[in-house]
Amino acid sequence: MATRPMTSEAAAPAAPLVPPFRGNVLGEARWQLELATLLASGVHRGVGVPRGDGAPVLLVPGFLAGDASLAVMRGWLRRLGYRTYRSGIAWNVDCSEAAVRRLDRRVADVAERAGGPVTLVGHSRGGLLAHAVAVRRPRRVRQVITMGSPLSSPLDASILTLAAVGWARLGQNLLRPARPHCLTTDCPCAFSADLRRVSPVPLTSIRTSEDGIVRPESCVVPDDGGGRVRNVVVRGSHLGLCVNATVYREIAAVL
């Protein structure tokens, strides 16, 4: 009877399974309270925060949202003294590669008009798009600030959020039958490769430890040793990051 030869090499341990992220949909309703708290705060009035120097700032909305979702932040930055710009996104559900290309053209236009590189502030998926543009056009981007953006694992979101992504994927497949992997981890477009690259510009990743939409750990960006990456943690909801007084104070300091 043949026996299997012995080996001194131990079998590699299996990678631990990461359980699905259930999230906290009900907790996300706090964004309304967070908005009220912001509007009543001194931060919203510009008290105790650095003033702007006229530098251009372009804001990019999150998944299933449009530029209107960042109207409060855009107005606040304008009052601080920055030149603010919309991304031109009305509903952020399009193919990621197509969205990055459009955003790239928008950034090029703003940089030309402003006469210099642009700061990109992105919420959730908007931060992923902003990072991709910075990777492709570092000379046009001064820095990137993300809020609740899962740069380390783009689809590490709650079960309900992934269901919404599935519906968006179905729509993409109907519009573009030749792209069956759109909005998946197997997407062959350049966008997926961009997300795996180290940021060539300063990057501040703001996350909330109470995120009910995206797993907080997926927003942690490893530093390559160049000192360009900062990870900041706050408290609050994912949706409320756009109207979180602590986030606003942090953004004012970074800008």
Side-chain angles (χ1 to χ4, degrees):
M1 178 177 176
T3 59
R4 181 175 299 176
M6 295 181 63
T7 175
S8 60
E9 295 182 359
L17 295 176
V18 179
F21 182 56
R22 298 187 181 278
N24 183 3
V25 177
L26 295 179
E28 287 300 309
R30 290 178 296 168
W31 73 266
Q32 300 173 74
L33 177 59
E34 291 165 341
L35 172 59
T37 301
L38 171 69
L39 297 179
S41 70
V43 174
H44 187 252
R45 299 192 300 273
V47 178
V49 294
R51 307 298 298 182
D53 57 359
V57 181
L58 189 152
L59 286 75
V60 191
F63 180 60
L64 295 180
D67 286 330
S69 67
L70 295 168
V72 175
M73 181 176 289
R74 191 165 54 248
W76 172 73
L77 288 170
R78 191 180 304 118
R79 291 194 302 276
L80 283 185
Y82 295 98
R83 286 178 289 173
T84 61
Y85 299 88
R86 296 175 173 84
S87 68
I89 297 175
W91 196 29
N92 196 347
V93 294
D94 199 5
C95 161
S96 299
E97 181 62 25
V100 169
R101 291 179 181 179
R102 284 197 300 271
L103 183 60
D104 183 23
R105 292 192 294 269
R106 175 61 173 158
V107 171
D109 178 62
V110 171
E112 181 178 359
R113 284 194 286 167
V118 184
T119 292
L120 302 182
V121 180
H123 179 225
S124 197
R125 189 189 189 213
L128 305 183
L129 302 180
H131 171 76
V133 171
V135 165
R136 299 182 188 187
R137 314 293 184 190
R139 293 186 179 181
R140 296 176 183 168
V141 180
R142 179 183 178 187
Q143 64 177 322
V144 173
I145 302 173
T146 64
M147 303 176 292
S149 301
L151 287 168
S152 295
S153 185
L155 290 177
D156 195 0
S158 70
I159 296 173
L160 287 178
T161 302
L162 291 180
V165 172
W167 282 106
R169 184 186 307 122
L170 177 61
Q172 291 300 325
N173 291 338
L174 292 175
L175 293 173
R176 302 179 177 90
R179 299 181 181 180
H181 299 298
C182 191
L183 297 177
T184 72
T185 55
D186 297 324
C187 176
C189 293
F191 171 75
S192 294
D194 292 337
L195 294 185
R196 294 190 294 269
R197 294 178 61 184
V198 176
S199 176
V201 303
L203 168 66
T204 299
S205 175
I206 302 174
R207 71 185 188 279
T208 167
S209 57
E210 303 167 336
D211 202 312
I213 300 293
V214 168
R215 194 189 304 269
E217 292 78 11
S218 66
C219 301
V220 178
V221 181
D223 190 352
D224 66 340
R228 289 190 297 267
V229 175
R230 293 179 65 250
N231 289 286
V232 179
V233 60
V234 300
R235 297 190 63 180
S237 66
H238 179 87
L239 298 177
L241 286 169
C242 299
V243 290
N244 185 307
T246 304
V247 171
Y248 276 46
R249 189 180 297 278
E250 182 65 32
I251 290 177
V254 172
L255 291 176

